[in-house]
Amino acid sequence: MAEQVISPDLKFVEDVIASGGGDLKKCYQCATCTVVCNVTPDNKPFPRKEMIYAQWGIKDKLISNPDIWLCHQCSDCTAYCPRGAKPGEVLGAVRKLAIQHYSPTPLSKMVGDPKYLLILFAIPVLLFLSYIVPKGYLDFSAIPRGEDGGIVYSKFMPVFPQIDVTFGAAAFFAVVCFVLGIKRYWTDMNKGVSAQGNIADSIKATISEILAHKRFEKCNVTKDRKTAHLLVFYAFIGLAITTTLAIVYLYGFHYESPYPLYDPLKLIGNISALALLYGITSVTGNRLKNAEKAGKGSYFDWLFITVIYAIVVTGILSELLRLANIALLAYPIYFAHLVFVFFLFAYAPFSKMAHMVYRATAIVFAKHTGRDK
Amino acid sequence: MAESNTVVIIGGGFSGLTAAVEAAEAEKDVIVIEKNPYLGGRVAQLNKYFWKLCPPTCGLEIQFKRIKNNAGVKIYTLAEVQDIKGEEGNFDVSVKVNPRYVNEKCVACDACAQACPSYRDNTFNFGMDKTKAAYLPFNQAFPMQYVIDRNSCAPNCKACADACKYNAIDLSMKPETINIKAGAVIMAMGWNPYDASKIDNLSFGKVQNVITNMMMERLSAPNGPTQGKIIRPSDGKEVKNIAFVQCAGSRDENHLPFCSYICCLASLKQAMYVREQYPDSKVRIFYIDLRTPGLYEHRFLKKAMDDPDITLTKGKVAGINEDPETKDVIVEVEDIFSGSKTKLKFDMVVLATGMEPATKTFQTIKNVSYTSDGFVDTGAKKGIYPVGTLKNPVDVVRSAQDATSAVIKGIQSLRRI
Amino acid sequence: MEKKYGVYICKGCGIGEGVNIEKLANNVKGMVCKTHDILCSPEGINLIKEDMKNEGVNAITIAACSPRVKTEEFDFPGALIERVNLREFVVWSHEPNNEETQSLAEDYLLMGIEKIKKGDLPEPNILQDLSSTILVIGGGVSGMNAAIEAANAGYKVVLVEKEAQLGGFANRLYKKIPTGEYFNKPLIVDTDIDKLIKEVESHPDIKVYKSSKIEKTEGQPGLYDVTVSTNGGSETIKIGAIVLATGWKPYDATKLDYLGYGKSQNVVTNIEFEEIAKKGNGKILRPSDGKEAKKVAFIQCAGQRDQNHLPYCSSMCCATSLKQARYVRQNNKDAVAMVLYKDIRTPGRLELYYKEAQNDPGVMLTKAEIKGVSDAGNGNLFIEAENTLLGEKIKLEADMVVLAAGMIPTTREPQEYLDGLTLAGTKGDEAKAKYIEETPKPEFILNLSYRQGPEIPSLEGAYGFADSNFICFPYETRRTGIYAAGGVRRPMDMSEAQDDAAGAAFKAIQCIDHVSRGVAVHPRAWDITFPDPLLIRCTSCKRCTEECPFGAIDEDEKGTPFYKINRCRRCGTCMGACPERIVSFKDYSVDIIGSMIKTIESPDEETIRIIALVCENDAYPALDTAALQRKKIDPAVRFIPLRCLGGMNLVWIADALSRGLDGVLLLGCKFGENYQCHFVKGSELANYRFGKVGETLNKLQLEAERVQLMQVAIAEYDKLPDMINEYVERVKEIGPNPFKGF
């Protein structure tokens, strides 16, 4: 075997530590983690080897490594780690750094660093304020009402062009970033590895696996995560369907909101919102419950959870307040809702949201290379 | 000078015995408080010592001979310290002495045990066999005197007393509290094997053929439950394919955060027991680091490495299951150098469980402070000296060494005040 | 002593049922002989006491259980006591009420009576003008601690250090590892060696000799005359006992050129690294260009665990490198310390130190086999390694490499020289003279004026460490009164050396106490008997002086032995060695054992009789334990305990066989590298003598198989009866000794 030149990268070690892998250096390479991990393949299993790479700051072996995404952070490893090195958290940190690495805009740094939180929020806040301030909508009574005198958010913040263009642009930006990132990631992953079989099959298998959330079933310490994550996952799908329907209604049938509660769009949307609320609450509850064994989680994780929480809470409140016709609260809450949604989507390639894309890609790759049986 | 020329030694294991005979041979009065009905502590339970593969009873015999020839040593067995009051040079040690129900007239003729109708779990053999309720702790016990486990007796039974021709049995004995004046106290309570059932992923207590290293000592000893034949608990099959799981609980924050020092050498030694008994056997030792620091210690490792049928694998076992049909033990491990996670089958698995200082649970002595992991703080109170495994996990050599060094501190205490 | 004999036979524990007591008692002629149902009972004891009081009985034969039990009961101060083991050796291990069993009991009783007839009550030999001053050689951490501990225990101490200042290696250290709990503590602390030096130098009971060496050590415990030379002058001091704490030296790193040492200035040893850190006051400036080192590789086990260099582990280097990694990191947040290890060995609670020390972003560790260190230009180095956790073959670049080189005891060089000398001596005087001429003579430490050589003898496989390889008795050495401590004894770290020094100081104190009472030191630490040779019959054969495991016997030019009693451990090896049978203890002599053997006779020409000479420390208890388990032994065998099989004298074998006994069995401890003999060499010497038994047998025209030596451990009680019985069968097959009846 060829000799590898190893150059330890202290900076990367410090990054991992700062990104939530604070106990990384305590690892003494006993391999308990790989043994208790139920999602790792048996050949060249993780996360022990990732731990030593991270300890030495060998970024190349980590960032482009699909294994870091095959990890679903069950935290069995963390619970059983004899040194309290928390491999689960370390891989989480490495994943954050991988997201940042493949999404090369200054934003990637900013999303992972609490220092920039205000700036990140300032962008959508200012953007949306720029739509409403000129119209004098800071005075809520100036906002036009619906025919029945009820609150109509599209009159506060028009769907077109303000919302759709803004979000369309944000989505476009996110997609471009994702595509660029994934492309580089895919290239990196492929270095020195030969693929097997048909890529389409791998993709198909990956999709069915994700839909069923099979991997989560293998977790021990955090058994309850599957349901929570599944709910969040399907809630997002539900909300995506809702959004798609809304676009169809508006641009296909010129049917404008608000829609009645019995409308399929509304039904799907509200059910999804409730599922999301329940799901994200479970996620939070599980995390708090398992914190001692599985680790407390990083800023990166909690920011993501918080934003989802904020979206679902503001979303539901917006609807309720609208129905209750409490303008004083409804408008600000809706405003906040838009800000959070923007935050989630525009920054998706740099936030934990990106995990769905990278993880899916890594699973496809793993299947494609026979790494994942 | 101190008011008392007496050194009280708590614990009659190898550290305590060493301190006792050394101090007595330097003309100090010594009182040994031992909680078991015999002296020798943990080493009495060992089959052989690493690295010389010599029997511990050899050294114990010399220590006992030294005691027999030295009037300065007084021993209380079945005794526990309840309180220590006072200061260096003038301690009041109160000791509860539990009844043995057998007095010094006992000649060890075995008539009581033969007459006794009741059985008890043999704690000396970690419950792997039973003794009568009237029993001799083991065949080279000192004092060579039987004991009666009253908790295991049949109600109102006095078969033993009736069988004894020597007037040695007194079932009416009561616990006594005695008070001892001492100039210095040496704490030598030693250690307990860590409770392996707490390490849930290693399945001790759930998988029959998973035993601990201390059980392995008894299983290999000629005075053990199988007369030294290494056979597995489930079906008595000869153990020819065995695995040792190092750091079972040790070096683990969830259990014992420190390294127990003795386990690597103990497993190498036990590997040699198996290899000697069954020349066609295979041994596998799974470790994190092989810790055999020193001269003879490292040579011992080399000896094991030179045996092609002893395989040393870097990688900690973190999962153990049972093959329900064969009762074989399946261990799950990452062989770090081959880079694969595998499941391997063995006839029996020995967990190299570590040592928990006795003071983790026994903290009756308030005069000293204890560390979070249960050791005695070395900056202990003047006149009270912890030794051996109460300070740090160590082997017998280092215990003896430390006990000897504690005696000079004791002597200094006696002359200081 | 005017002896008044009394024989007391116990009938308890099955003795009365297995043996015809009346018949047994009839063998006792012309002395008080009483029986008792339970001799160890208060009534039984009283029986003896009454006889002592009323009849003046003072030589008591107690025929009951093993002398290993009921010692408190059968303790009659002022009387000579012999215990005859009827219980374990007769009734518990043989068929009851059998002719052979009866004969066995009678033989044991007669042997016991013979022994007490020949023996005498000992009185201690207390030498005059004893010194209680303790000499500590070596002024490092071990030596200074030994000195302070001994002085604080009330003894005068003389401390001799060869350097101009005290402190030893600790002087060269930048910082040390703290002790106690490591959590939330600094990982490196001051050595505080200055405080220790001050404490020693200002102690009223410690006299320090610096820049000094031991020119000569003469005498024996309590009576050493130690000549200390200082800057040309010398002084002779009376010394009671000695603590040897001369420590260790680093392994000669020039032999580690494959690791780059000597080729690059930037490859240094761990000790040199301490000096660099100390010089830079924490700044690591590399030797080649004075640049601050930012990437330091630590190569563990450099020349250790390696048959070509040091085949052992120095046990302190792992923790030392973790400490030194801290040096690299403490002032330089960009610096990296890479530790390449075989196994991280931080035993015990040092594990927690390992954890704290590695929990630093810039401290990186991997297991690795180092393949080589090469030049990487600009003073930097490449380290090539295999089987690492980072990959099968890796290459690292460092701007400095630290070799964790091992420890060599200061006793190693003198011992190697002396071993070479002994070897040359075996090849003749010429070879010896050549060796002396050609071999550079290292500096000796003790310079003992002992017949067996000037230093503590090396033990096989100890690589020069002054260790006895006893598990249970770590402070034993083969030179009574001289106790080794610290790195000279075995590899250890500074904090262990501190405690070790206290132990050695105590052993020195204890030795002084014992010689002041005329009592032996370990392992017969109660024994007041001593060898008293009848020198008038000595032929100056030098066997005793050569064989004594403890070098207790000196000799003049003519070869006449001079016993230095305070060095003697009372094992009786000299007694066994002496062909003239002139070495005797009051209760243990060639004559006593010989006379005991002579009491044994075969009842007829067909009945086999075998004597077994057994080590009383291991084989004897093993026999007792076998008996406790009622294991049966052939009744042809009579066991005679010896203090150590090293006391076995060939004359007994010759006498026994020429008198018609059918065999002689010798049961001693295991010898060799992992010897179990409490007198280190006893059983080995017995085996050496046993090798010469053939001559005697040839002379008598007897079969060699009649005499056998077995190595038995105390725990082999399960196998021992079978081993003995098989041997008896073999003798039976050979047939009775034709000398029977002559």
Side-chain angles (χ1 to χ4, degrees), chain C residues 504-698:
Chain C
F506 170 72
K507 290 303 284 186
I509 289 171
Q510 201 188 43
C511 175
I512 288 167
D513 175 78
H514 279 219
V515 298
S516 76
R517 294 186 281 132
V519 185
V521 297
H522 187 90
R524 297 182 64 84
W526 59 87
D527 196 353
I528 54 168
T529 69
F530 55 91
D532 193 5
L534 192 63
L535 287 176
I536 204 160
R537 274 169 46 200
C538 172
T539 60
S540 308
C541 74
K542 303 185 189 176
R543 283 186 204 163
C544 59
T545 59
E546 276 170 12
E547 289 193 10
C548 174
F550 304 99
I553 315 167
D554 286 342
E555 66 192 33
D556 62 13
E557 302 89 66
K558 287 185 214 146
T560 314
F562 289 100
Y563 276 67
K564 302 285 190 212
I565 276 316
N566 287 357
R567 293 188 212 156
C568 170
R569 306 283 183 96
R570 280 71 161 173
C571 59
T573 296
C574 51
M575 178 182 112
C578 181
E580 297 302 313
R581 321 169 188 192
I582 63 167
V583 183
S584 302
F585 297 77
K586 279 277 196 286
D587 61 353
Y588 187 57
S589 67
V590 179
D591 181 39
I592 292 175
I593 306 286
S595 303
M596 288 165 74
I597 295 171
K598 279 180 194 150
T599 63
I600 301 165
E601 274 172 29
S602 297
D604 52 54
E605 289 190 8
E606 293 310 309
T607 312
I608 300 288
R609 284 292 177 265
I610 290 166
I611 56 155
L613 300 167
V614 306
C615 159
E616 67 175 22
N617 304 304
D618 289 70
Y620 195 102
L623 289 166
D624 269 359
T625 309
L628 183 77
Q629 292 178 216
R630 309 301 196 270
K631 296 233 183 208
K632 297 287 179 265
I633 290 179
D634 195 297
V637 189
R638 277 103 185 95
F639 299 110
I640 299 172
L642 300 183
R643 290 182 178 184
C644 170
L645 201 64
M648 186 272 296
N649 196 304
L650 285 177
V651 76
W652 299 327
I653 301 180
D655 281 0
L657 294 171
S658 61
R659 289 190 60 258
L661 296 183
D662 302 280
V664 179
L665 179 61
L666 308 171
L667 299 180
C669 297
K670 308 224 161 172
F671 48 82
E673 195 176 73
N674 289 322
Y675 70 90
Q676 293 175 18
C677 174
H678 290 287
F679 298 101
V680 188
K681 290 279 170 190
S683 54
E684 189 177 330
L685 289 164
N687 186 53
Y688 163 73
R689 266 173 242 150
F690 169 72
K692 295 180 181 165
V693 126
E695 284 171 39
T696 313
L697 292 160
N698 268 340

Side-chain angles (χ1 to χ4, degrees), chain C residues 211-228:
Chain C
S211 304
S212 301
K213 285 191 301 195
I214 308 295
E215 208 164 80
K216 196 173 181 188
T217 305
E218 263 188 308
Q220 54 186 321
L223 287 168
Y224 284 116
D225 286 312
V226 178
T227 307
V228 178

Side-chain angles (χ1 to χ4, degrees), chain B residues 14 21-23 25-27 49-59 61-63 65-66 68-69 104-110 136 139-140 144 165-166 222-223 227 251 253 257-259 261 287-296 298-299 301-302 314 336-337 371-373 375 378 391-393 396-398 400-402 404-405 407-409 411-412 415, chain C residues 12-13 38 40 42 68 70-71 73 87 92 149 152-154 181 305 307 311-313 315 341 343-349 351-352 354-355 367 387-389 459 461-463 465 467 469 471-475 489-490 496 499-500 502-503 505-507 509-510 513-514 517 522 525-526 616-618 621 625 628-630 673-676 678 713-715 717-718:
Chain B
F14 208 84
V21 285
E22 295 294 350
E25 285 173 8
E27 298 185 83
Y49 282 145
F50 52 73
W51 51 83
K52 277 176 90 171
L53 296 175
C54 55
T57 38
C58 166
E61 176 73 15
I62 293 287
Q63 304 298 48
K65 203 163 173 178
R66 290 164 80 182
K68 290 173 200 169
N69 281 292
E104 62 294 334
K105 289 179 188 164
C106 173
V107 297
C109 69
D110 202 48
L136 184 66
N139 59 7
Q140 290 181 326
M144 184 49 90
K165 291 185 209 160
Y166 305 93
N223 58 4
Q227 289 74 51
R251 302 181 66 183
E253 287 182 350
F258 45 83
C259 158
Y261 185 102
Y287 67 92
I288 307 171
D289 291 288
L290 286 167
R291 291 193 166 167
T292 54
L295 172 63
Y296 302 105
H298 193 76
R299 189 165 73 197
L301 170 63
K302 176 82 175 38
K314 185 169 167 70
I336 290 177
F337 285 109
T371 66
S372 55
D373 38 7
F375 293 95
T378 37
K391 281 157 62 182
N392 200 12
V396 180
V397 181
R398 284 159 185 82
Q401 179 185 312
D402 198 41
T404 311
S405 72
V407 176
I408 199 167
K409 308 269 182 195
I411 288 177
Q412 290 165 1
R415 72 183 288 276
Chain C
C13 293
I38 306 167
C40 63
R68 293 174 57 252
K70 298 289 170 194
T71 46
E73 287 80 350
R87 185 175 80 163
W92 279 5
E149 296 294 351
N152 288 345
E181 301 222 57
R305 301 174 61 172
Q307 298 300 323
Y312 52 84
C313 159
S315 59
Y341 62 82
D343 291 285
I344 287 288
R345 290 183 170 170
T346 46
R349 297 172 77 205
E351 178 67 15
L352 301 161
Y354 171 24
K355 190 178 124 187
K367 186 174 164 77
N387 287 328
T388 75
L389 300 169
L459 204 64
Y463 301 102
F465 283 97
D467 187 76
N469 196 15
I471 307 277
C472 302
F473 312 110
Y475 290 106
R489 193 158 81 70
R490 59 171 171 71
E496 198 189 340
D499 286 346
D500 195 42
F506 170 72
K507 290 303 284 186
I509 289 171
Q510 201 188 43
D513 175 78
H514 279 219
R517 294 186 281 132
H522 187 90
W526 59 87
E616 67 175 22
N617 304 304
D618 289 70
T625 309
L628 183 77
Q629 292 178 216
R630 309 301 196 270
E673 195 176 73
N674 289 322
Y675 70 90
Q676 293 175 18
H678 290 287
I714 191 169
Y717 47 80
D718 55 332

Side-chain angles (χ1 to χ4, degrees), chain A residues 235-277:
Chain A
F236 266 102
I237 291 180
L239 291 171
I241 294 169
T242 312
T243 311
T244 316
L245 277 178
I247 291 167
V248 173
Y249 280 13
L250 184 65
Y251 299 105
F253 305 103
H254 300 285
Y255 175 23
E256 282 181 35
S257 66
Y259 306 113
L261 284 175
Y262 54 79
D263 190 279
L265 177 144
K266 215 62 204 167
L267 280 174
I268 297 172
N270 283 337
I271 290 168
S272 299
L274 289 174
L276 186 60
L277 179 64

Side-chain angles (χ1 to χ4, degrees), chain C residues 401-414:
Chain C
V401 170
V402 181
L403 304 180
M407 312 164 89
I408 289 192
T410 45
T411 38
R412 177 159 163 176
E413 280 179 28

Side-chain angles (χ1 to χ4, degrees), chain C residues 242-246 411 456 465-467 474-477 482-486 488-490 492 500-501 503-505:
Chain C
I242 300 170
V243 174
L244 177 69
T246 46
T411 38
I456 291 187
F465 283 97
D467 187 76
Y475 290 106
E476 288 313 303
T477 63
I482 303 174
Y483 301 96
V488 74
R489 193 158 81 70
R490 59 171 171 71
M492 60 177 80
D500 195 42

